[in-house]
Amino acid sequence: MINIELIQKTAESLMAKAAIEIPDDYLTGLQKAANDEDGDLSSFVLEAMLENYVAAKEDRRAMCGDTGCPRWYVKMGNEAQIDGGPIALEAALRRATANATKSVPLRPNRVHPLWRTDHDNNVGIGAPEIEYGFEPDGNWIDLVTVHKGGLFGTDYRMLFPSDGIEGIKRFYLDSLVAFGKRGLACQPAIIGIGLGGSKDSCMVLGKRAACLRMVGDRNPDPKIAALEDEFKELGNNIGMGAMGFVGKSMVIDCNIEVGYCHTGGMQMSVHAFCLSSRRAVARIYDDGRVEFRTDPAWFTDYQRRETVEW
Amino acid sequence: MVKDNKPRKIRLSANPTAEALADLRIGDIVYLDGTVYTAREGVYKRVLEDGIAMPMDLPADSAANFHCSPAATQHDDGSFDLGAVTATASFRFSKWIGPWLAASGAKLIIGKGGMSSKDYREHFVPHGAIYLTTVGYGTGALLGRGVKQVSNLHWKKELGLAQAMWVLDVENFGPFIVESDLDGNSLFERENARISASLDKVYEGTRPAVLKRFGETDDRSDEMI
Ligand code: SF4
């Protein structure tokens, strides 16, 4: 049985870690981009960002004043049991989100869409989002928090088989160029692309591709992996860098996830995980052990349903 | 990689003189000293549409309006805990900016992403104001370091923490980039023009979507196929 107080305490420290400590994989990617960048203003921006990550850790303050939307991905081993069940788990994650908003502090971003009611704690109707996945075996639970920024940088489009790769590329470039101007997407970003599924699952796939995969990893399908490389290159050759200044740092990495779709369609979504690519992960075992990491390790063969029979 | 043409770095008062502003060029890096305040749509609506008197003496107290909601908490004893500070996108405030510059006497509008050069020419230039953009835009921790103290918080009850008017005493607060000058030139528009020149080549080997959307045509009687 996994202790519910331990879940809440761990969730609170994850909120702080995500807000303050830039994950190593993104940091390494940005350092590389900063070395390669030759646009004078873009270079200045990237250097300032690198200083900013250091300042955040030294002062233990949030790296970005905009908390974005904190959300949770929960993955459970098939044998895991939670003290109080999933209802207690959700309450613990909501409490942790509210408490951390005050203690870090984070910006209370979440308001009612119409009445703009603000509880000043990032909790409300459907907020934070809590999504679930399961894994065969295992008596642990993985808590992943992502603080996803960016009102800009995300788009969805229903393409068709006849749009082909040329159409996919067009929509990809359109998204980067449109939201990259003036740096609205806070690039360079981890770009996640969802292909197929249905409209909602396509958005979910793309967001997870941006937020739950590591910089440098590749889709297990070698042809999709090659597309990821090609798209990263393409994005960095637009001629645009940080803040939309002349430069070549748009994309720290491009991750693509796919799902089977309707035979007549080819849904596509594009998501940008910004300069504050905030994610933090912990695995809690039923014997009370807690292991922190930054790799969500979300996309296993099981999550892609590669290993599930029919 | 050789990085020549490093941008100039300048310390500027949050109540700058006209001469100091005239000396700035787009692309300069600026660090501020003095007092800045946050005001965005909540404050603009209250002052400009509801006609409620401002809680500060502007521009005497400060000539620097920051489009921002800080990551901060006010404790029960009234003290503040301010962490990171990041701007919010300014283009959404276009409809209020002219009247606001007139009412507040602001000389510095600080935010994310700038506004259009049309806004600069029509509203900023006549008031002798310029636009400073934050950097990144995620440099919240660096900006947080530049805040010496929260000296006041107005309209917290009326507008909530995010929309309230935060008054911040700052020192070496930055970096910011000069986005518009006193003539109304925009750095972002200059950069956009340079990038656009080679976009056609980038788009080679792509093609428009089979099914169009409104926005790609403005004629609502058009077919989308
Ligand atoms: S998009 Fe990211 S870096 Fe930019 S302001 Fe939002 S959270 Fe910060």
Side-chain angles (χ1 to χ4, degrees), chain A residues 49 53 63-69 107 109 147-152 183-187 272-278, chain B residues 86-88 112 134-140:
Chain A
M49 285 312 303
Y53 301 138
M63 64 182 89
C64 181
D66 188 339
T67 301
C69 290
R107 194 162 100 186
N109 269 349
H147 299 181
K148 172 74 173 68
L151 293 174
F152 317 100
L184 289 183
C186 287
Q187 71 266 15
F273 202 15
C274 62
L275 274 165
S276 302
S277 280
R278 296 162 292 192
Chain B
T86 298
T88 198
K112 170 177 177 177
T134 51
V135 172
Y137 296 94
T139 44

Side-chain angles (χ1 to χ4, degrees), chain A:
Chain A
M1 190 75 83
I2 300 174
N3 179 277
I4 196 71
E5 268 112 57
L6 182 62
I7 290 181
Q8 184 177 325
K9 205 174 113 247
T10 308
E12 281 176 26
S13 31
L14 283 175
M15 289 287 292
K17 273 179 178 296
I20 295 168
E21 300 167 15
I22 192 75
D24 274 338
D25 59 309
Y26 181 83
L27 178 61
T28 309
L30 195 72
Q31 279 160 340
K32 194 180 168 310
N35 285 335
D36 294 346
E37 184 56 81
D38 48 14
D40 48 358
L41 285 165
S42 285
S43 287
F44 174 79
V45 178
L46 298 184
E47 297 299 335
M49 285 312 303
L50 291 170
E51 269 175 50
N52 185 67
Y53 301 138
V54 175
K57 279 194 215 163
E58 279 176 5
D59 301 3
R60 298 306 293 169
R61 63 169 95 225
M63 64 182 89
C64 181
D66 188 339
T67 301
C69 290
R71 56 165 51 222
W72 292 95
Y73 296 92
V74 178
K75 201 192 258 185
M76 288 171 70
N78 197 36
E79 271 76 58
Q81 285 203 333
I82 293 163
D83 175 16
I87 302 294
L89 169 70
E90 298 212 330
L93 293 180
R94 285 168 71 86
R95 270 197 302 273
T97 305
N99 291 348
T101 298
K102 291 227 161 41
S103 62
V104 174
L106 305 175
R107 194 162 100 186
N109 269 349
R110 292 288 190 129
V111 300
H112 189 285
L114 292 170
W115 326 130
R116 315 312 282 183
T117 318
D118 190 345
H119 300 152
D120 280 341
N121 63 7
N122 283 313
V123 177
I125 301 176
E129 290 82 359
I130 305 175
E131 296 177 39
Y132 297 92
F134 304 92
E135 237 14 79
D137 311 320
N139 52 4
W140 45 258
I141 169 173
D142 272 357
L143 300 181
V144 184
T145 188
V146 166
H147 299 181
K148 172 74 173 68
L151 293 174
F152 317 100
T154 296
D155 205 356
Y156 167 85
R157 186 154 196 160
M158 176 64 92
L159 299 175
F160 300 92
S162 57
D163 280 303
I165 290 289
E166 293 100 323
I168 292 176
K169 273 191 194 159
R170 167 68 63 104
F171 185 52
Y172 170 70
L173 283 175
D174 276 351
S175 303
L176 294 191
V177 173
F179 299 121
K181 283 181 200 266
R182 296 178 181 239
L184 289 183
C186 287
Q187 71 266 15
I190 305 173
I191 303 295
I193 297 179
L195 285 175
S198 53
K199 182 177 285 174
D200 57 344
S201 59
C202 176
M203 289 299 282
V204 168
L205 279 172
K207 186 161 218 150
R208 290 181 178 181
C211 301
L212 298 181
R213 280 187 40 195
M214 299 289 277
V215 171
D217 71 6
R218 282 290 167 261
N219 191 289
D221 179 329
K223 281 193 280 200
I224 296 179
L227 264 187
E228 292 176 335
D229 286 336
E230 186 186 340
F231 278 27
K232 176 182 174 189
E233 181 79 12
L234 183 63
N236 287 331
N237 278 319
I238 292 173
M240 194 186 275
M243 290 181 74
F245 297 140
V246 172
K248 52 188 180 193
S249 345
M250 277 299 279
V251 182
I252 294 297
D253 208 351
C254 177
N255 299 326
I256 302 176
E257 289 296 327
V258 300
Y260 272 37
C261 59
H262 187 285
T263 183
M266 188 171 65
Q267 297 81 351
M268 174 164 173
S269 71
V270 181
H271 303 252
F273 202 15
C274 62
L275 274 165
S276 302
S277 280
R278 296 162 292 192
R279 61 170 132 72
V281 189
R283 176 164 293 189
I284 311 174
Y285 293 90
D286 60 357
D287 61 6
R289 269 179 305 143
V290 179
E291 290 165 3
F292 288 95
R293 56 182 211 264
T294 55
D295 183 355
W298 185 268
F299 284 102
T300 56
D301 287 347
Y302 181 79
Q303 287 311 312
R304 295 188 178 104
R305 300 297 185 265
E306 302 265 20
T307 53
V308 185
E309 64 209 314
W310 61 75

Side-chain angles (χ1 to χ4, degrees), chain A residues 102 105, chain B residues 72-82 150 152-153 156-157 161 166:
Chain A
K102 291 227 161 41
Chain B
T73 311
Q74 185 171 29
H75 300 297
D76 292 339
D77 66 1
S79 65
F80 297 97
D81 185 3
L82 181 126
V150 179
N152 224 326
L153 174 61
K156 173 186 167 191
K157 199 164 64 8
L161 280 181
W166 293 79

